[in-house]
Amino acid sequence: DAAAFGARESVDAVDLSPDGSKVLYLTPGPSRNTFAVIGDLSTGQFQKVVGSDGEPESLRWCNFASMKRMVCRFTGLAESTGIDLLSFSRLIALDADGSNPKLLGQVGSFYDEHVRIYDGRIIDWLIDSDGVVLMNRLYMPEETKIQSLVKQTKKGFGVDKIDVTTLRRQPVEGPREAADYVTDGRGSVRLMSILDTRHSGMLTGELKYSYRTKSSRDWKPLHTVRNIQDPDFVPLAIDADSDSLYVLKKRGGRYALHALRLDGSMAETLVAEHPRVDIDDVVRFGDGQRVIGYTYADEKRATVYFDPEFKMLAASLSKVLPNLPLVYFVDSSRDGRKLLIFAGSDTDPGRYYIFDRDKKTLTEGMHARPELSGRTLAAVKAVTIPASDGAQIPAYLTLPPGKDPKGLPAIVLPHGGPSARDEWGFDWLPQFLAGRGYAVLQPNYRGSAGYGDSWLKENGFRSWRTSIGDISASARWLSSQGIADPQKLAIVGWSYGGYAALQSAATDPALYKAVVAVAPVTDLALLKEDTRNTVVEELVNRFVGSGPHVAEGSPLRNPGAINAPVLLVHGDKDSNVRVWHSQKMHDALRGAGRQSELLKFKDLDHQLEDPAARTQMLTRIGDLLQRTIGR
């Protein structure tokens, strides 16, 4: 079970070739290796073309830039003098057989003013060009003390049109202190954002947007976001056909979708809103294609198509694939006639299909998790749980297949974030637990995103008593409904979920018989200290806040209150939550005479993207649960 569920997805970051005849995707190799694979859909021949070993660089995605050339993103974490952990990323263009690699970013210099950790991103694949892209490109000046006639002085982000074969470039936007640019998908740069900073370089949390009309090169002010941690304005996409920006704006405390004309009139139209949850995105069916709908997640994720053709197509697909209700248009050929489609469900990790709009044929392709083929997976049910103050907590209940749902050993599994949420569908961790005989409950406690401002509260750290109270109420609900044996409850969480697991056990010591915390925050003051003298210091300080809740909401300050055995899991290259959070918690628990195990993985980050590591972690979790709450 641990090896099957701990395996990485066999198919990830899928891209369709410009003519729709080939697919390009990532697949895991042994250990931490990742390979890019190109498959010919007509011959069925698949070939690995490039890879990474994860030590330290990892391959994140590859996309076709033309039939002969592709672009891949590599990222990694490395140790650097004077810096604890340094993240880096690079864009590399290669031939379709993996040969002839070339860096797309500005060439580095020994005299660079700062460490070059990021080179930019592709902002437009230019569907009417062959092997030419628009890149938001970082320019790094050389140190001022260097005296040279050819010294690099350009600074900031600009936009270049780059031939990915020859690297011949044409400047489109000169470098400036911009954070990002957005095009209309047809090669025209229409939106620019600028992050406000202190003289020290620290972010203030303010973000300014500017736009330009089709007929002008002048930038016009559009909107200023005062707090990027809770933005009131979220641009999603520019539709060239309607000359409109699709943007999320708050309406009644929830995100609603608006269309904003970019013709200079600033005319605004409300496109969609939902009475319970946020609208969260728009739908396109490929690079540069028009916007065809929008999405939201209530009990299940839903897509609403305002394009008539795709509305009919989605309805037809739901009839052809009745057991796979989560259907997404992933990509298309450049003429839009061949579509790459993903379909999945709670009991099916998902599979990919090619749909030919002209021939009306649907061809099944790759499976996301072939290791789980033939297994009976657990159904996921949306439930509502009453909180102690009467609030109704949305949650997902996963029951072990073939077992009577009465008096079961059970696990509460709070999500990370905290500003995130769980959704209906396949999730490898609760499926592993359910497969071993446990009822699993995933509450979207107050502090979760997606339900509007009133549910988000201040956040899960500032309002930890409410968030943890909802999680504890969820555990008690399992017992009150007769689903769980109250003497056989455990709590498991990752990131903020790991924090919630520890803090829940500290505030309600009799509730749980076992605690598992993967990559947890354990001390809120330490979390703020982790970002001292970095660009996000002010943002993290503001998010966590100051006051009594910092000490009272830190499980590291109260280890003696945790009675249940604890398993801590952490990668030592975790730049999201530093490994010393778990190390200090382990030492504090042991010092207080409590049972604690620490499973630490060398050179792994927050996601523990190594099948061997995940297998070991799941095995240890299974052993702890077996000892404490049985099966």
Side-chain angles (χ1 to χ4, degrees):
D1 285 351
F5 286 97
R8 293 159 59 198
E9 288 192 10
S10 294
V11 179
D12 190 27
V14 190
D15 189 55
L16 196 59
S17 66
D19 68 355
S21 68
K22 296 179 180 180
V23 289
L24 171 60
Y25 62 92
L26 302 187
T27 195
S31 187
R32 301 170 192 177
N33 287 267
T34 300
F35 296 101
V37 173
I38 289 183
D40 189 311
L41 298 173
S42 59
T43 65
Q45 298 297 310
F46 288 73
Q47 179 183 3
K48 296 176 183 176
V49 292
V50 66
S52 65
D53 61 8
E55 298 179 3
E57 78 287 343
S58 295
L59 182 58
R60 294 303 178 186
W61 54 259
C62 292
N63 279 15
F64 287 104
S66 68
M67 291 301 298
K68 297 180 179 179
R69 198 82 168 146
M70 62 183 180
V71 176
C72 298
R73 165 69 78 191
F74 291 81
T75 69
L77 287 166
E79 295 178 352
S80 178
T81 303
I83 301 174
D84 178 41
L85 280 178
L86 185 68
S87 62
F88 64 88
S89 65
R90 295 291 184 269
L91 284 170
I92 299 178
L94 310 98
D95 287 346
D97 62 0
S99 64
N100 193 22
K102 294 182 179 181
L103 284 165
L104 290 185
Q106 179 197 12
V107 177
S109 163
F110 176 78
Y111 301 107
D112 280 349
E113 188 175 84
H114 303 291
V115 177
R116 187 186 297 271
I117 63 175
Y118 177 73
D119 55 356
R121 73 180 187 92
I122 307 297
I123 61 172
D124 199 318
W125 292 92
L126 298 178
I127 61 175
D128 294 327
S129 301
D130 189 33
V132 179
V133 299
L134 284 185
M135 181 176 175
N136 180 11
R137 206 170 187 222
L138 176 66
Y139 280 84
M140 181 77 68
E142 293 180 328
E143 294 177 342
T144 55
K145 64 183 179 181
I146 303 302
Q147 299 299 317
S148 171
L149 294 177
V150 294
K151 183 175 67 176
Q152 174 62 254
T153 60
K154 294 179 179 179
K155 181 178 181 180
F157 282 100
V159 176
D160 289 344
K161 182 181 287 187
I162 300 177
D163 185 309
V164 300
T165 302
T166 65
L167 296 192
R168 187 177 296 112
R169 72 176 186 90
Q170 175 186 340
V172 176
E173 302 289 336
R176 67 182 81 193
E177 295 296 326
D180 202 5
Y181 298 88
V182 179
T183 78
D184 61 1
R186 310 282 175 81
S188 181
V189 180
R190 304 292 303 279
L191 190 69
M192 176 177 66
S193 58
I194 298 176
L195 279 166
D196 185 55
T197 59
R198 308 278 185 210
H199 290 300
S200 63
M202 293 182 185
L203 299 176
T204 67
E206 188 172 280
L207 180 63
K208 296 180 180 179
Y209 289 101
S210 302
Y211 80 101
R212 58 163 58 120
T213 62
K214 279 184 178 180
S215 59
S216 174
R217 292 284 301 169
D218 296 332
W219 290 107
K220 300 176 180 293
L222 179 62
H223 186 84
T224 297
V225 172
R226 302 299 178 187
N227 180 11
I228 60 174
Q229 293 169 308
D230 183 22
D232 61 346
F233 185 92
V234 183
L236 299 177
I238 298 174
D239 188 288
D241 292 341
S242 63
D243 194 20
S244 297
L245 169 68
Y246 284 93
V247 59
L248 297 178
K249 297 179 69 175
K250 293 289 182 71
R251 185 178 170 89
R254 285 181 293 274
Y255 283 120
L257 180 64
H258 295 75
L260 191 63
R261 294 280 293 173
L262 297 181
D263 57 2
S265 69
M266 303 285 285
E268 185 174 317
T269 303
L270 174 65
V271 178
E273 61 181 333
H274 194 279
R276 292 183 300 276
V277 297
D278 295 330
I279 307 299
D280 53 29
D281 208 351
V282 293
V283 179
R284 276 180 149 148
F285 61 99
D287 297 325
Q289 305 291 353
R290 66 187 183 278
V291 174
I292 58 175
Y294 63 89
T295 62
Y296 64 88
D298 195 4
E299 289 187 351
K300 294 182 180 179
R301 176 153 289 277
T303 303
V304 178
Y305 296 97
F306 40 70
D307 180 274
E309 181 186 1
F310 278 87
K311 185 176 182 179
M312 291 179 60
L313 176 57
S316 299
L317 288 170
S318 67
K319 294 177 182 178
V320 175
L321 305 169
N323 298 319
L324 301 172
L326 299 177
V327 178
Y328 308 114
F329 296 105
V330 177
D331 199 8
S332 77
S333 56
R334 290 196 171 175
D335 62 8
R337 305 313 301 169
K338 291 182 180 179
L339 304 178
L340 176 66
I341 295 169
F342 173 87
S345 73
D346 54 343
T347 58
D348 191 316
R351 54 199 70 197
Y352 292 87
Y353 297 84
I354 299 294
F355 180 72
D356 190 311
R357 295 169 70 186
D358 298 320
K359 297 179 180 179
K360 308 297 183 186
T361 56
L362 184 68
T363 305
E364 185 173 338
M366 306 84 67
H367 286 218
R369 290 181 177 269
E371 299 88 353
L372 299 179
S373 296
R375 287 177 177 258
T376 300
L377 298 178
V380 180
K381 178 184 178 182
V383 296
T384 303
I385 298 163
S388 57
D389 60 1
Q392 299 297 305
I393 306 164
Y396 296 99
L397 177 63
T398 305
L399 295 172
K403 280 200 171 188
D404 185 13
K406 295 180 181 178
L408 296 172
I411 295 162
V412 179
L413 184 61
H415 63 73
S419 302
R421 59 158 290 176
D422 280 316
E423 293 187 23
W424 185 88
F426 175 84
D427 189 335
W428 60 273
L429 184 52
Q431 285 289 344
F432 165 77
L433 297 169
R436 294 185 64 79
Y438 303 110
V440 182
L441 186 65
Q442 297 169 270
N444 280 324
Y445 49 83
R446 277 171 286 187
S448 302
Y451 297 94
D453 291 343
S454 62
W455 197 258
L456 189 63
K457 297 295 182 183
E458 291 186 276
N459 62 58
F461 291 129
R462 283 177 172 265
S463 304
W464 71 265
R465 293 186 189 278
T466 302
S467 299
I468 301 302
D470 286 355
I471 293 167
S472 298
S474 300
R476 290 190 170 86
W477 178 86
L478 280 169
S479 301
S480 70
Q481 298 298 301
I483 297 168
D485 181 337
Q487 299 304 311
K488 294 184 176 182
L489 286 174
I491 185 166
V492 177
W494 199 313
S495 194
Y496 179 88
Y499 160 83
L502 293 165
Q503 187 65 0
S504 296
T507 56
D508 207 335
L511 190 56
Y512 301 108
K513 304 304 178 187
V515 179
V516 178
V518 184
V521 171
T522 62
D523 187 281
L524 302 188
L526 182 61
L527 180 62
K528 293 199 290 185
E529 184 65 28
D530 292 343
T531 59
R532 185 176 296 279
N533 297 323
T534 69
V535 296
V536 297
E537 177 183 352
E538 187 172 328
L539 302 185
V540 173
N541 287 344
R542 185 186 305 160
F543 189 79
V544 174
S546 300
H549 74 278
V550 172
E552 295 168 358
S554 297
L556 183 60
R557 312 287 184 96
N558 196 21
I562 299 177
N563 293 330
V566 174
L567 172 62
L568 297 154
V569 184
H570 223 123
D572 70 359
K573 289 286 177 63
D574 189 338
S575 61
N576 191 336
V577 180
R578 302 315 319 276
V579 67
W580 46 71
H581 280 263
S582 284
Q583 185 66 64
K584 289 176 181 290
M585 191 74 216
H586 174 67
D587 294 342
L589 286 166
R590 297 290 289 269
R594 300 299 188 253
Q595 297 181 56
S596 176
E597 303 172 73
L598 174 59
L599 180 59
K600 190 159 55 174
F601 291 108
K602 182 174 174 54
D603 294 333
L604 284 184
D605 64 10
H606 196 64
Q607 305 303 326
L608 302 179
E609 291 179 312
D610 182 332
R614 287 188 175 182
T615 298
Q616 186 180 354
M617 176 185 72
L618 293 179
T619 301
R620 293 280 288 274
I621 291 173
D623 290 344
L624 174 63
L625 297 176
Q626 175 75 40
R627 295 195 311 268
T628 54
I629 62 173
R631 285 179 64 177

